[in-house]
Amino acid sequence: MRDLLEDLKPGGQEWRTAEAIDPARLPAHIAIIMDGNGRWARMRGLPRVAGHKAGIEPVRVAVETCARLGIESLTLYAFSVENWKRPRAEVETLWRLLRIYLKLEMPRLMRHNIRLGAIGRVESLPPEARRELALVIDQTAGNKGMRLNLAINYGGRAEIVDAVNRAIAAARSDGTLDQLQFTEQSVSAHLYTAGQPDPDLLIRTSGEMRISNFLLWQIAYAELYVTETLWPDFKRLDLLNAVLEYQKRDRRFGGLTKAASEEEENVAETIGVPSA
Ligand code: IPE
Ligand code: IPE
Ligand code: MG
């Protein structure tokens, strides 16, 4: 955090926003639905894939900013299981861009001590993309800083189905299938994100008010932050603003704030609700 502040222009807007962030209450896990690439390009009279290309730089900025803030996990939605419905040429360009990103980013991931992981059915990716991904995952495996999860060929429902099937397969091979029972913990432990905290903050760009099959299980109590900004225009300041806004939220998890709780003690009788 301090290291990030040192890089910003003192008194500037980014610096003021970063300074207002409380380093003790950072979201442990930030998830981002990077949306709006196509619209960004169409607004400029460019093909949609130009928007995907322009979306690489904001990925780099978001990754670097989160790492320097001290975020534990960052999950980026890069390709959904539903995105195969798009024209073949667009999908192929996305795989090409993924490989370019991974190649370019590798040294920076090492420099920031970031460990890359992939969540989703990556076995269905084209072989070259899969190879490049496996290479970077392997090379960054020993890094102890931020976890960067790329959600690729990812679907929230598919993830839950895969988790259940994995649990069944494990129980079958242990000979414990008869006793198999699920708890929230055991389902979580079989998800792609096992061992990582649930996202505290979910950001979506381009103004769409939907989840689009992202991290359905894990975002049960995430704070949602939707910005009209299209992904290729997403800057460091946008990320800092999202974190600052997150810190203003009152997270109750179904309970009440401490003050409200105390106020409510023993009031039932005063409004004529008899004790049982
Ligand atoms: C998000 O941008 C990137 C991917 C889904 C791969 P879109 O391509 O969905 O852009 P819009 O939403 O059509 O503008
Ligand atoms: C969600 O965006 C998937 C990614 C950002 C990778 P989409 O553009 O695919 O979602 P919808 O179609 O608007 O719901
Ligand atoms: Mg979209």
Side-chain angles (χ1 to χ4, degrees):
M1 178 91 190
R2 200 168 309 128
D3 144 77
L4 175 68
L5 272 170
E6 276 167 12
D7 249 22
L8 304 175
K9 194 171 135 267
Q13 203 180 359
E14 283 184 316
W15 184 87
R16 279 183 281 125
T17 311
E19 245 241 333
I21 292 172
D22 175 358
R25 291 189 305 115
L26 289 170
H29 187 167
I30 298 179
I32 308 183
I33 302 177
M34 311 181 290
D35 198 17
N37 294 353
R39 275 164 282 172
W40 182 92
R42 298 309 302 160
M43 278 166 58
R44 287 163 175 76
L46 298 169
R48 292 177 47 84
V49 290
H52 297 318
K53 183 162 173 259
I56 291 188
E57 182 58 21
V59 171
R60 176 176 301 154
V61 170
V63 169
E64 189 164 350
T65 307
C66 284
R68 296 177 78 185
L69 272 173
I71 303 299
E72 210 177 300
S73 289
L74 171 67
T75 301
L76 300 177
Y77 205 2
F79 191 88
S80 76
V81 289
E82 285 84 17
N83 287 148
W84 293 103
K85 294 175 190 163
R86 297 186 178 197
R88 206 173 55 128
E90 178 174 345
V91 172
E92 278 171 6
T93 305
L94 284 169
W95 300 137
R96 213 168 323 139
L97 289 171
L98 173 67
R99 286 166 60 202
I100 293 171
Y101 168 77
L102 290 168
K103 257 202 193 90
L104 279 174
E105 227 22 43
M106 182 56 208
R108 231 183 272 243
L109 295 180
M110 294 309 289
R111 195 165 347 119
H112 291 290
N113 201 18
I114 295 168
R115 177 174 163 197
L116 184 78
I119 63 169
R121 293 178 172 165
V122 286
E123 63 281 3
S124 309
L125 265 55
E128 310 79 50
R130 222 165 52 214
R131 241 190 328 269
E132 196 65 42
L133 194 58
L135 191 78
V136 182
I137 289 175
D138 191 54
Q139 286 183 326
T140 60
N143 289 349
K144 299 282 182 261
M146 187 177 79
R147 299 282 297 263
L148 171 61
N149 309 305
L150 291 184
I152 311 175
N153 196 21
Y154 174 89
R157 288 184 172 187
E159 177 179 31
I160 296 169
V161 168
D162 287 352
V164 170
N165 282 328
R166 257 201 299 268
I168 291 173
R172 186 173 288 129
S173 78
D174 293 349
T176 56
L177 193 56
D178 286 357
Q179 296 99 284
L180 181 62
Q181 270 205 324
F182 289 100
T183 61
E184 292 191 8
Q185 284 75 16
S186 72
V187 172
S188 293
H190 283 95
L191 295 176
Y192 307 139
T193 52
Q196 298 187 53
D198 285 339
D200 300 295
L201 170 62
L202 171 64
I203 299 173
R204 182 165 189 153
T205 59
S206 90
E208 303 294 0
M209 294 289 188
R210 56 177 171 264
I211 301 298
S212 300
N213 202 9
F214 193 37
L215 301 175
L216 296 180
W217 177 279
Q218 297 92 330
I219 59 166
Y221 265 106
E223 293 297 325
L224 309 182
Y225 180 86
V226 176
T227 167
E228 291 293 327
T229 302
L230 303 173
W231 179 252
D233 292 327
F234 193 84
K235 302 277 186 304
R236 179 159 55 189
L237 181 60
D238 296 296
L239 189 100
L240 296 173
N241 274 327
V243 173
L244 192 57
E245 162 72 23
Y246 160 83
Q247 293 192 332
K248 291 180 187 154
R249 302 278 176 90
D250 180 13
R251 301 186 83 192
R252 295 186 291 275
F253 300 96
L256 299 180
T257 53
K258 196 161 171 277
S261 235
E262 282 164 3
E263 234 173 83
E264 291 301 313
E265 283 294 320
N266 308 320
V267 295
E269 282 169 45
T270 68
I271 62 155
V273 181
S275 53

